[in-house]
Amino acid sequence: MILAADKLDHVSERGIRQLVDVFYVKVRADPELAPIFARAIPGDWQPHLTKMYAFWSSVMLTAGRYKGNPVARHVVIPGVKPELFERWLALFDATCGELFDDATSEAFRIKAERIAESLKLALFYRPGRPWPPEPTP
Amino acid sequence: MTFVVTDNCIKCKYMDCVEVCPVDCFYEGENMLVIHPDECIDCGVCEPECPAEAISADTEPGLENWIKLNAEYASVWPNITIKRKQPADAKTFDGVADKLKQYFLSKPGQGD
């Protein structure tokens, strides 16, 4: 438990590393998300964590360090469903709330929600089908 | 939803956007850039970086033609991820109205 006064009040590389580390501990313990991630990342997690430090640093601090194609990487993961993005966002938001003050959490949440929506559209939107998609059984 | 490059990029082409884009989704024509709609993840990092303020969210009204133009040329122009020097006369054309009609070139740029 981090006291309110100790929460980070701005985005920094250090904060991003903490966020990524704590967030993926939650993901790997989550009954819905853990199996999907375990299949996508069967071995050593450190390369993924390092990639995510770079990604969030590029998004939040415009560091330009991450270079990749997340749409292509997500398309090939079996078992991804639209509603899992909601679960992902809930855990991400909870982690931000633990580490950062409200304004900093909000800055992360806005980016995460937009990126999630665009990944969902890329993965699941098909012309002529309803959007947002109905939850899959 | 993605971002799109609009009129004021034409003949300005500052290319600051390509340095910050985390997903390398810019494609280069001879005198402007476009964003690939299937690769952009809507992170919005590029928008404030553009000195010409030529990048907009595709949800803004009146951008239908630009959404089409970005999608069309992103599939034929080469990818650009490394900024070069902007055109020598970029400043002169920054803010000129309706450049699409007068100056747009459909030829591909050099890419990386």
Side-chain angles (χ1 to χ4, degrees), chain B residues 24-81:
Chain B
D24 292 344
C25 69
F26 284 90
Y27 290 78
E28 186 186 10
E30 188 163 311
N31 66 7
M32 83 172 290
L33 306 178
V34 290
I35 290 173
H36 199 307
D38 299 337
E39 294 171 2
C40 172
I41 56 165
D42 203 29
C43 74
V45 170
C46 58
E47 185 190 18
E49 294 292 321
C50 177
E53 298 183 14
I55 301 175
S56 300
D58 70 358
T59 45
E60 282 179 31
L63 292 179
E64 292 75 14
N65 288 340
W66 291 107
I67 293 170
K68 255 174 48 197
L69 186 144
N70 275 248
E72 180 183 350
Y73 288 102
S75 59
V76 288
W77 287 349
N79 191 224
I80 174 168
T81 65

Side-chain angles (χ1 to χ4, degrees), chain A residues 14-77:
Chain A
R14 182 173 75 98
I16 286 170
R17 279 197 302 278
Q18 279 186 320
L19 168 63
V20 169
D21 289 345
V22 174
F23 171 66
Y24 281 105
V25 169
K26 290 190 204 295
V27 165
R28 297 175 75 179
D30 185 79
E32 291 176 66
L33 294 174
I36 309 280
F37 276 86
R39 280 199 298 274
I41 308 164
D44 181 8
W45 266 69
Q46 196 52 51
H48 181 68
L49 298 177
T50 304
K51 200 183 290 178
M52 291 303 103
Y53 305 151
F55 177 79
W56 283 104
S57 160
S58 296
V59 168
M60 300 303 292
L61 298 168
T62 66
R65 277 200 289 134
Y66 174 90
K67 293 286 177 186
N69 187 338
V71 173
R73 295 308 294 259
H74 284 81
V75 163
V76 297
I77 299 171

Side-chain angles (χ1 to χ4, degrees), chain A residues 66-68 70 111 114 118 121, chain B residues 1 3 21-24 41 43:
Chain A
Y66 174 90
K67 293 286 177 186
K111 292 290 185 191
R114 285 168 55 156
S118 96
L121 280 164
Chain B
M1 281 161 296
F3 280 78
C21 175
V23 299
D24 292 344
I41 56 165
C43 74

Side-chain angles (χ1 to χ4, degrees), chain A residues 65-128:
Chain A
R65 277 200 289 134
Y66 174 90
K67 293 286 177 186
N69 187 338
V71 173
R73 295 308 294 259
H74 284 81
V75 163
V76 297
I77 299 171
V80 179
K81 292 187 286 188
E83 55 270 31
L84 290 178
F85 284 83
E86 303 313 316
R87 185 69 196 143
W88 189 105
L89 285 169
L91 291 183
F92 189 79
D93 195 30
T95 315
C96 287
E98 288 168 20
L99 298 173
F100 302 120
D101 68 5
D102 290 350
T104 310
S105 291
E106 177 74 5
F108 275 101
R109 178 168 49 238
I110 288 169
K111 292 290 185 191
E113 282 178 358
R114 285 168 55 156
I115 294 167
E117 183 68 15
S118 96
L119 285 178
K120 266 200 300 188
L121 280 164
L123 264 57
F124 303 110
Y125 172 75
R126 299 291 174 270

